[in-house]
Amino acid sequence: MTRIVIVEDEIDIASVVQDYLRHSGYETAHFADGQSALESIVASPPDLTLLDIMLPRLDGIEVLRRAREHTAHPIIMLTARIEEVDRLLGLELGADDYVCKPFSPRELVARVRAVLRRTAPGNVPGAPGQAPQSDAPGLVLDDVHWRASLEGTPLNLTRREFGLLQVLSRHPGRIFSRARLLELAYDDTVDVTERAIDSHVKNLRRKLGAVSPAHDWIRSVYGVGFAWEAPPQA
């Protein structure tokens, strides 16, 4: 059964959401503070997390940031803070959707279903359902499970980082504009900006560099975009 974690300190809201999700056939678990939720998510990632921003002990943005270091499972932010900076920050850190309070429980369940369908294994951009394959010397991408490894070391990417790496690495030397990368790497309805590309490229460089610091895998082309740089053949 699909398991959904609800991280919400307002008990009345959490109770209503739980009831609707359970009636829709989902298994649920509820946490009222960010720290407890983060520990559970890292120890046993659920199929999806509904995450409020304003939480005691650890706020939702920090929970999202730390969770994305360990898991790429879908996360929907729930919040009354509708300022654009919060929305963009949440999405750039790896949120899959953003629902503002007050919301209709029925609509929320529909959004949950849509995100679960969109993020089901094999639904990443590219060639779904393929077995792990090598895309560059030492780099292996698993399209089915959104996993990537470099020189045998897991990269622990978010799905957005994986989609970006997939597009770039399969076209070495080709320069992609930010707008084109948005089209190819983020094949969904979530509002993602070109600014997010820079954030994801920075994270990819950091993770690739931690494994292979001698090579700069992603080249910036000033005023244009980014290109994948395969290492020289020995």
Side-chain angles (χ1 to χ4, degrees):
M1 181 181 293
T2 301
R3 184 168 68 93
I4 297 176
V5 164
I6 303 164
V7 191
E8 170 62 69
D9 62 332
E10 296 185 47
I11 303 303
D12 290 345
I13 293 178
S15 178
V16 170
V17 170
Q18 277 193 298
D19 286 344
Y20 272 81
L21 289 173
R22 286 172 177 170
H23 287 150
S24 299
Y26 299 110
E27 176 186 345
T28 66
H30 171 238
F31 295 91
D33 71 89
Q35 184 62 45
S36 299
L38 178 63
E39 292 171 0
S40 174
I41 289 169
V42 171
S44 179
D47 295 289
L48 182 142
T49 292
L50 297 173
L51 177 62
D52 190 24
I53 285 184
M54 299 298 290
L55 294 167
R57 298 184 66 193
L58 200 65
D59 68 67
I61 292 295
E62 188 60 25
V63 172
L64 175 63
R65 189 194 310 274
R66 298 187 191 182
R68 280 294 176 245
E69 296 175 358
H70 302 276
T71 172
H73 81 280
I75 296 177
I76 300 176
M77 307 300 289
L78 302 178
T79 182
R81 294 170 59 178
I82 60 174
E83 294 88 345
E84 185 177 17
V85 65
D86 288 334
R87 176 171 58 85
L88 294 178
L89 180 58
L91 293 174
E92 288 178 11
L93 286 173
D96 295 89
D97 205 347
Y98 196 102
V99 179
C100 293
K101 300 175 182 177
F103 53 79
S104 160
R106 292 181 184 275
E107 179 186 355
L108 179 61
V109 172
R111 298 282 280 273
V112 165
R113 286 174 176 157
V115 169
L116 286 172
R117 283 197 303 268
R118 191 174 70 231
T119 58
N123 281 356
V124 294
Q130 291 184 353
Q133 54 186 283
S134 177
D135 296 272
L139 177 69
V140 176
L141 301 184
D142 180 350
D143 292 347
V144 176
H145 302 99
W146 316 305
R147 294 171 184 160
S149 64
L150 180 62
E151 299 174 5
T153 301
L155 293 175
N156 297 320
L157 305 180
T158 68
R159 273 190 314 284
R160 297 198 181 283
E161 292 166 359
F162 182 94
L164 183 59
L165 177 61
Q166 186 183 55
V167 171
L168 288 170
S169 67
R170 290 181 177 170
H171 303 276
R174 179 176 173 182
I175 302 171
F176 289 91
S177 68
R178 291 170 176 81
R180 186 57 174 156
L181 286 172
L182 282 177
E183 294 176 9
L184 296 174
Y186 305 138
D187 185 21
D188 54 38
T189 59
V190 176
D191 182 13
V192 183
T193 68
E194 292 186 17
R195 194 180 79 179
I197 295 293
D198 292 340
S199 176
H200 295 319
V201 167
K202 179 180 178 181
N203 290 335
L204 277 174
R205 283 175 169 153
R206 174 175 54 81
K207 294 177 181 181
L208 291 164
V211 179
S212 180
H215 181 67
D216 186 8
W217 293 89
I218 302 175
R219 174 169 57 96
S220 296
V221 182
Y222 182 76
V224 182
F226 302 98
W228 179 259
E229 287 292 302
Q233 297 294 323

